């Protein structure tokens, strides 16, 4: 799919735990902006995970990524929509439909989630109501059996050929690496003592070793 083939009434939805947001998250959002006229993202609670920071903190961090990217595009095309946040995709989709009743909805997921989606709450109710766009993740090849099961559940799948740097949030939580998080987030991570980042991870002032 290219930017020219996306409907002008399409909204791409990218809910993520953002624990913490990574350069991969930023790359996904940047790629979606090249494909869709409207992109909405939010930080959410994933019932299959234990989170390293409270939801409101993760939402603020994701908001900083959104602000940085949104400044490079037309106003309103990229939105942080915490009102769409829910641990259940059904609830998120219902809220989206209230706000954008005339829009086609595209739910964006990483390839690591494909095997998990059939176990999500009321999947038979919400999956047929949207398109499922799959973003490849390093180490998580797309399996034919997963696609077939989702299609049997009513899924309409597409593949987004986006190049996403390898930058798993779980890896950062175990081994803090400033190269894997968007640069604007580092001062916040250090100031709030999040995910093990310290002042030593901040860039050195110009001219200093």
């Amino acid at each position: 799919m290219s930017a020219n083939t996306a409907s002008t009434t399409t909204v791409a939805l990218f809910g993520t735990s953002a624990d913490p947001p990574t350069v991969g998250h930023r790359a996904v959002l940047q790629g979606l902006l090249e494909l869709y006229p409207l992109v909405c993202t939010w930080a959410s609670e994933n019932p299959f995970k234990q989170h390293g920071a409270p939801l409101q903190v993760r939402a603020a961090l994701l908001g900083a990524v959104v602000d940085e990217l949104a400044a490079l595009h037309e106003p309103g095309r990229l939105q942080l929509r915490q009102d769409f946040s829910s641990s259940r995709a059904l609830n998120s989709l219902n809220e989206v439909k209230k706000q954008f009743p005339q829009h086609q909805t595209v739910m964006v997921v990483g390839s690591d989630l494909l095997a998990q989606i059939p176990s999500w709450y009321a999947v038979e109710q919400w999956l047929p109501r949207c398109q499922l766009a799959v973003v490849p993740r390093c180490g998580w090849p797309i399996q034919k059996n997963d696609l077939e099961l989702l299609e049997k559940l009513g899924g309409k799948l597409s593949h987004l050929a986006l190049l996403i740097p390898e930058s798993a949030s779980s890896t950062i939580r175990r081994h803090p690496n400033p190269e894997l998080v968007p640069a604007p987030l580092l001062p916040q991570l250090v100031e709030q003592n999040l995910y093990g980042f310290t002042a030593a991870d901040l860039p050195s002032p110009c001219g200093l070793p």
Side-chain angles (χ1 to χ4, degrees):
M1 180 180 293
S2 68
N4 291 332
T5 59
S7 167
T8 56
T9 58
T10 298
V11 53
L13 311 172
F14 183 51
T16 173
S17 56
D19 192 27
T22 69
V23 291
H25 290 107
R26 187 190 184 282
V28 169
L29 292 173
Q30 178 62 60
L32 294 179
L33 283 166
E34 296 173 2
L35 295 172
Y36 301 102
L38 175 61
V39 179
C40 294
T41 187
W42 60 88
S44 62
E45 299 283 15
N46 187 328
F48 296 91
K49 295 181 180 179
Q50 290 186 341
H51 299 293
L55 179 60
Q56 62 181 14
V57 172
R58 291 182 277 120
L61 294 173
L62 183 60
V65 178
V66 168
D67 288 345
E68 183 255 332
L69 271 176
L72 305 175
H73 297 272
E74 296 88 343
R77 286 199 55 214
L78 175 60
Q79 302 179 16
L80 178 70
R81 294 300 299 258
Q82 278 306 113
D83 52 325
F84 296 162
S85 178
S86 173
S87 60
R88 293 176 170 177
L90 175 64
N91 295 342
S92 294
L93 193 58
N94 286 340
E95 287 302 313
V96 171
K97 288 295 186 181
K98 289 179 184 177
Q99 295 297 319
F100 302 107
Q102 304 302 320
H103 284 59
Q104 298 177 8
T105 52
V106 177
M107 186 170 290
V108 180
V109 298
S111 57
D112 56 310
L113 294 180
L114 291 182
Q116 185 188 106
I117 290 174
S119 65
W120 289 7
Y121 177 79
V123 64
E124 299 92 343
Q125 294 183 36
W126 63 263
L127 188 57
R129 296 167 52 195
C130 63
Q131 184 180 21
L132 196 66
V134 183
V135 176
R137 290 195 62 183
C138 295
W140 297 91
I142 297 174
Q143 303 293 336
K144 182 180 178 181
N145 290 343
D146 293 335
L147 298 180
E148 290 177 346
L149 178 54
L150 289 168
E151 289 173 349
K152 287 180 181 178
L153 292 170
K156 302 179 289 289
L157 281 73
S158 63
H159 177 263
L160 300 184
L162 303 179
L163 296 177
I164 308 301
E166 188 173 357
S167 54
S169 295
S170 57
T171 300
I172 295 173
R173 293 195 299 271
R174 292 192 302 268
H175 305 290
N177 183 346
E179 295 182 359
L180 299 184
V181 297
L185 292 188
L186 274 175
Q188 296 184 51
L189 296 175
V190 171
E191 181 180 354
Q192 299 180 50
N193 193 29
L194 294 171
Y195 303 104
F197 287 97
T198 68
D201 296 309
L202 295 172
S204 299
C206 293
L208 294 180

